[in-house]
Amino acid sequence: MVEWTDFERATIQDIFSKMDYESVGHNALARCLVVYPWTQRYFGNFGNLYNAAAIMGNPKVAAHGVVVLHGLDRAVKNMDNIKATYAELSVLHSEKLHVDPDNFRLLADCLTIVVASRLGTGFTADVQAAFQKFLAVVGAALTKQYH
């Protein structure tokens, strides 16, 4: 089980309470697909992903970005039991979709960049540490690397 400090809990809850899911989710997933084009292989049914403009304008990318953030919201609400919260999604992503576990880290990095750009100077090193710890725990739970 992961230990969370009061600061970490408050920080994660604060970030998600202020987050514009449509904009942040879309921008984070689109950034991941542009910067790391090999991640596109999991989204073959999304249509045109041939360049950055197509990815940014793709409504399926935007919609799935929102789905991802709502998935993360489940972890925010269940910080003491993230592993169990993601048990079903873990099976889906690892055993059925065969998603490379490193892709969760890549998406987490892109999400961190987008959140940092929104929070500006409020995204201090302590806030970043809490946010990245949270994303690492979620990523581990999704890929069965949870300790």
Side-chain angles (χ1 to χ4, degrees):
M1 177 189 269
V2 176
E3 297 291 326
W4 300 100
T5 67
D6 290 342
F7 173 80
E8 290 168 338
R9 285 179 189 280
T11 297
I12 299 308
Q13 291 167 353
D14 185 55
I15 288 171
F16 278 86
S17 73
K18 296 175 181 172
M19 192 177 293
D20 175 351
Y21 281 41
E22 274 127 35
S23 176
V24 172
H26 175 217
N27 282 292
L29 181 56
R31 179 178 289 264
C32 188
L33 296 172
V34 171
V35 176
Y36 310 107
W38 59 89
T39 62
Q40 295 174 19
R41 70 178 165 212
Y42 302 103
F43 302 99
N45 64 336
F46 277 28
N48 184 357
L49 300 176
Y50 299 122
N51 58 44
I55 291 168
M56 289 305 296
N58 188 308
K60 290 183 179 181
V61 172
H64 193 66
V66 174
V67 168
V68 168
L69 288 188
H70 281 293
L72 288 173
D73 195 45
R74 290 176 56 201
V76 173
K77 293 174 180 160
N78 296 285
M79 288 180 71
D80 291 320
N81 203 2
I82 290 175
K83 183 179 179 181
T85 299
Y86 285 107
E88 200 174 300
L89 274 177
S90 175
V91 170
L92 172 68
H93 286 86
S94 65
E95 296 177 18
K96 293 188 176 139
L97 299 174
H98 304 288
V99 175
D100 181 342
D102 197 45
N103 289 348
F104 293 108
R105 185 189 57 79
L106 299 175
L107 180 57
D109 288 349
C110 291
L111 180 58
T112 300
I113 290 166
V114 173
V115 169
S117 73
R118 303 297 162 96
L119 294 179
T121 58
F123 199 73
T124 64
D126 287 340
V127 169
Q128 180 180 353
F131 189 62
Q132 288 193 286
K133 176 181 175 180
F134 172 76
L135 294 175
V137 170
V138 170
L142 280 169
T143 59
K144 298 185 176 189
Q145 297 172 6
Y146 199 88
H147 15 290

